[in-house]
Amino acid sequence: MNMEKQWWKSSVVYQIYPRSFCDSNGDGIGDLEGIRSKLWYLKELGVDVIWLSPVYQSPNDDMGYDISDYRAIMKEFGTMEDYDRMLAEAHSMGIRVMMDLVVNHTSDEHAWFVESRRSRDNGFRDFYIWRDGRDGGAPNNWGSCFGGSAWKYDEASGQYYLHLFSEKQPDLNWENEKVREQVFDMMTWWCDKGIDGFRMDVISLISKVPELPDGPEGESGYGDFGPYCANGPRVHEYLQEMNRRVLSKYDLITVGECSGVTVEEAKKYASASGKELNMVFQFEHMDLDGGETCKWNHKKVPLTELKQVMSKWQRELAGKAWNSLYWSNHDQPRSVSRLGNDSPAYREASAKMLATCLHMMQGTPYIFQGEELGMTNYPFTSLEDFRDIESIHAYQEFTEKGIFTPEEMFDYISYKGRDNARTPMQWNDGHQAGFTEGTPWIAVNPNYREINAREQMGRPDSVFHYYQKLIALRKQYEIIVYGDYELLLPDSRELYVYLRTLGDQKLLVLCSFVEHETCCRLPEALQGKKGKLLTGNGCRLEAEEAKLAAYGCAAVLYE
Ligand code: GLC
Ligand code: CA
């Protein structure tokens, strides 16, 4: 398939969660100086772009995703000078920096909201979504993502404001062109500073159906806002305007976080025509172990369904839009614990297998900090171990309503909770894993003595070196970036096998998702041919078949 070549298509992105990456001054909170001190590590790994989760001023109700000043740095993270130094140093090392852009909502402590709530006729009133109550209650039945109603009553003015997330995250009113103006100005300000892109937080939610109709009621008793907010009526218009006025003037990488996005919608957001964004984060593969009670359960993802979803996105976007590729981020549990096997015997093998499976696909791969070490979920023992508003609220809500027992719910938040991803980066086997000289804001995973960067950098067969190799291969072989994708053995419940094709080249990717040995017959056209093993682990190639150890994998090139 004919595809335009772009630098962001052959890039690998590394996500930093600043609070948990590296603390430079011993206060237990990661910071910008800490990030700067570890740029050499990212260079060594070979990534092209870093995505910084929010570093803006914030009261931290949702760990920085509630911004009170878009043009200031969060005090705990340092100063704007620290930011500029970090940016300049990253650039001097050839690493680009992508900022998180959180503009579906602000913090309730943002100056716009402080003004807006002053009175009904304040000039900023219309920056947010205010409505009168209905029958003595909220304007509609929507529930918020973090539990409870999506509406908060404001005594002073006698109206309710909308917050799809926490009540400290009021939704901006994108219908108001002054809001768009302000957001575009702020983006321009950052672009002029020399940043290289934006990851746009829940951008698919910015346009609401103006009537704000009740949503279908779920187990929690609240209505789902999804049908009236996700991919809403004017979202593409707004993004095209943003593109015209800001994005198109710079050379950026852009990715929209799009909950509720379908392939049809993604073809608009991330169209090859370049009118909106470069790519989106879709959630279909992440939702496979979800269900009626949102994500709260302890289900395993069925491999056949995972293959079907991933392959659908590969097939449908080919030549029309561009995929992002991810197994993990700051909102998801650790991928090796969820999709692989985090027992000591299989942890490294399954981490390498998952990496191979993802990085050999078409799209831009995203690595979440610590994934390149095979970091695992945290062994939670008490509710006090949690910091995340989502887990804490969900525990309360689901146990109070009697939907789950406290034991069940504790098991679910331990398995699926976002804090699994947010424990400190494990740098070495010293004090607090080398993350801080003080006491970290959230506990270090006790397995840091076995799992840490220093140990892995010194061991050639480590997960770290395996990721380094995958990143290097993407630079070396165009077929990895641009080749067509075809799923083989769709019904196998043990193996994920696919074939990439570019001109006369073929790349066969074999991945075992099971704990025992397996065997895979090679496609007929490749039998007896001499393939070149680009990378792999626990895979033996024979003339007609491949033998895979538990969680074995391989990528084989045929020319
Ligand atoms: C996105 C972020 C998540 C945050 C939410 C609200 O999903 O990734 O961390 O809680 O938006 O901003
Ligand atoms: Ca600090």
Side-chain angles (χ1 to χ4, degrees):
M1 200 152 310
N2 214 359
M3 239 175 279
E4 206 187 330
K5 300 198 170 137
Q6 305 275 7
W7 63 265
W8 43 265
K9 290 185 178 169
S10 53
S11 290
V12 175
V13 183
Y14 186 94
Q15 182 191 353
I16 292 181
Y17 194 68
R19 208 173 185 77
S20 305
F21 192 60
C22 179
D23 173 23
S24 71
N25 61 354
D27 67 353
I29 298 174
D31 46 52
L32 290 166
E33 271 295 290
I35 295 173
R36 191 171 71 88
S37 75
K38 296 294 186 187
L39 289 171
W40 66 272
Y41 169 82
L42 302 174
K43 187 74 197 161
E44 184 66 24
L45 182 59
V47 297
D48 307 276
V49 181
I50 53 185
W51 148 27
L52 288 184
S53 274
V55 295
Y56 314 94
Q57 186 178 303
S58 161
N60 282 313
D61 187 54
D62 185 22
M63 295 304 164
Y65 283 91
D66 47 320
I67 297 168
S68 53
D69 186 345
Y70 291 101
R71 300 181 200 220
I73 297 294
M74 193 189 299
K75 275 204 197 66
E76 293 108 303
F77 290 175
T79 62
M80 195 57 87
E81 287 68 50
D82 295 337
Y83 179 87
D84 292 338
R85 206 173 313 124
M86 187 279 301
L87 181 66
E89 210 164 304
H91 283 167
S92 75
M93 296 169 94
I95 297 174
R96 301 192 213 227
V97 179
M98 181 181 193
M99 294 295 277
D100 219 308
L101 182 78
V102 188
V103 289
N104 172 68
H105 45 266
T106 68
S107 163
D108 65 339
E109 297 180 34
H110 193 288
W112 301 337
F113 191 75
V114 173
E115 283 302 314
S116 182
R117 81 186 321 173
R118 272 192 213 286
S119 71
R120 292 193 189 206
D121 50 21
N122 186 282
F124 285 88
R125 186 68 170 181
D126 206 27
F127 265 51
Y128 295 85
I129 303 173
W130 292 95
R131 290 288 187 281
D132 291 327
R134 183 180 69 184
D135 311 327
N140 72 18
N141 72 351
W142 295 356
S144 98
C145 289
F146 295 153
S149 166
W151 295 94
K152 168 87 178 165
Y153 184 65
D154 183 58
E155 290 281 337
S157 61
Q159 281 191 310
Y160 292 78
Y161 66 84
L162 179 68
H163 60 89
L164 298 184
F165 294 87
S166 99
E167 61 183 57
K168 286 185 67 62
Q169 294 169 297
D171 281 56
L172 282 166
N173 175 19
W174 276 70
E175 300 266 328
N176 181 348
E177 65 171 281
K178 286 195 211 132
V179 167
R180 306 202 295 277
E181 197 81 37
Q182 289 284 344
V183 169
F184 300 154
D185 270 6
M186 176 271 286
M187 292 173 71
T188 302
W189 187 83
W190 280 98
C191 289
D192 287 341
K193 233 180 202 309
I195 64 153
D196 305 286
F198 293 107
R199 172 270 184 189
M200 303 185 187
D201 192 68
V202 291
I203 202 73
S204 57
L205 301 180
I206 58 176
S207 165
K208 283 88 173 161
V209 170
E211 297 77 25
L212 311 179
D214 281 341
E217 216 171 273
E219 280 217 37
S220 65
Y222 288 104
D224 179 11
F225 61 70
Y228 307 107
C229 298
N231 315 304
R234 297 181 67 188
V235 67
H236 296 291
E237 175 196 329
Y238 296 153
L239 289 176
Q240 282 164 27
E241 184 182 351
M242 178 194 285
N243 186 296
R244 263 194 324 273
R245 297 185 42 190
V246 188
L247 307 178
S248 60
K249 303 194 170 142
Y250 304 87
D251 183 22
L252 304 172
I253 174 171
T254 52
V255 53
E257 187 205 22
C258 292
S259 51
V261 73
T262 58
V263 282
E264 289 315 315
E265 282 294 325
K267 285 183 214 168
K268 300 183 202 156
Y269 286 114
S271 152
S273 71
K275 287 202 184 98
E276 298 181 24
L277 308 174
N278 295 157
M279 58 194 124
V280 299
F281 288 136
Q282 57 89 14
F283 282 79
E284 278 192 70
H285 62 315
M286 291 285 117
D287 291 341
L288 288 173
D289 54 9
E292 297 259 297
T293 48
C294 315
K295 62 186 196 184
W296 305 116
N297 59 47
H298 201 140
K299 253 191 345 214
K300 279 282 167 192
V301 174
L303 179 61
T304 47
E305 291 178 29
L306 181 68
K307 294 195 287 189
Q308 204 195 341
V309 166
M310 298 303 284
S311 302
K312 176 178 75 180
W313 281 86
Q314 290 284 302
R315 208 176 44 236
E316 298 277 330
L317 296 201
K320 301 190 180 111
W322 190 251
N323 270 298
S324 72
L325 305 170
Y326 74 97
W327 292 143
S328 51
N329 60 41
H330 66 293
D331 293 331
Q332 301 295 336
R334 290 285 176 180
S335 52
V336 69
S337 300
R338 183 189 197 176
L339 302 168
N341 185 329
D342 63 9
S343 72
Y346 301 116
R347 183 179 56 77
E348 292 219 335
S350 66
K352 292 174 186 173
M353 179 281 289
L354 287 170
T356 307
C357 186
L358 193 75
H359 282 245
M360 293 296 112
M361 289 185 193
Q362 189 181 83
T364 301
Y366 289 73
I367 300 169
F368 178 68
Q369 67 184 40
E371 180 185 329
E372 79 282 13
L373 307 175
M375 275 177 63
T376 66
N377 272 2
Y378 182 84
F380 293 99
T381 55
S382 115
L383 256 196
E384 266 100 80
D385 295 340
F386 289 89
R387 297 287 175 275
D388 180 22
I389 178 178
E390 182 190 60
S391 296
I392 296 167
H393 284 183
Y395 181 88
Q396 278 163 359
E397 186 164 333
F398 283 80
T399 55
E400 272 164 23
K401 291 205 169 121
I403 300 172
F404 293 122
T405 66
E407 292 71 32
E408 284 168 331
M409 201 54 199
F410 188 80
D411 176 45
Y412 301 158
I413 59 175
S414 300
Y415 181 56
K416 287 290 205 52
R418 307 193 294 182
D419 283 333
N420 284 302
R422 301 176 181 187
T423 65
M425 177 71 178
Q426 293 165 207
W427 293 106
N428 57 47
D429 63 2
H431 176 77
Q432 301 291 359
F435 164 70
T436 178
E437 284 172 7
T439 307
W441 69 280
I442 187 172
V444 169
N445 193 313
N447 63 18
Y448 71 95
R449 289 205 176 78
E450 294 83 59
I451 308 176
N452 65 71
R454 184 187 291 155
E455 189 278 329
Q456 294 204 15
M457 292 184 82
R459 178 165 54 90
D461 71 346
S462 66
V463 181
F464 175 88
H465 285 294
Y466 197 87
Y467 268 86
Q468 193 182 43
K469 177 84 184 280
L470 287 173
I471 297 165
L473 287 171
R474 183 164 279 266
K475 309 259 164 315
Q476 212 178 331
Y477 294 96
E478 283 220 325
I479 188 170
I480 298 174
V481 183
Y482 295 106
D484 286 347
Y485 168 102
E486 182 195 349
L487 178 67
L488 307 177
L489 308 179
D491 299 323
S492 166
R493 289 185 208 170
E494 305 190 324
L495 300 174
Y496 193 151
V497 183
Y498 60 88
L499 190 66
R500 305 284 308 275
T501 306
L502 188 71
D504 298 332
Q505 284 188 332
K506 300 224 175 275
L507 177 66
L508 180 67
V509 183
L510 304 155
C511 296
S512 163
F513 276 70
V514 287
E515 218 178 286
H516 52 260
E517 280 179 34
T518 49
C519 182
C520 173
R521 270 190 84 72
L522 299 180
E524 236 156 80
L526 301 180
Q527 286 180 11
K529 283 202 172 167
K530 183 97 192 83
K532 179 177 169 195
L533 186 69
L534 296 188
T535 182
N537 179 54
C539 176
R540 210 173 65 239
L541 277 179
E542 291 170 2
E544 294 181 0
E545 59 183 27
K547 295 229 159 69
L548 292 142
Y551 299 104
C553 62
V556 193
L557 183 70
Y558 296 87
E559 309 191 80

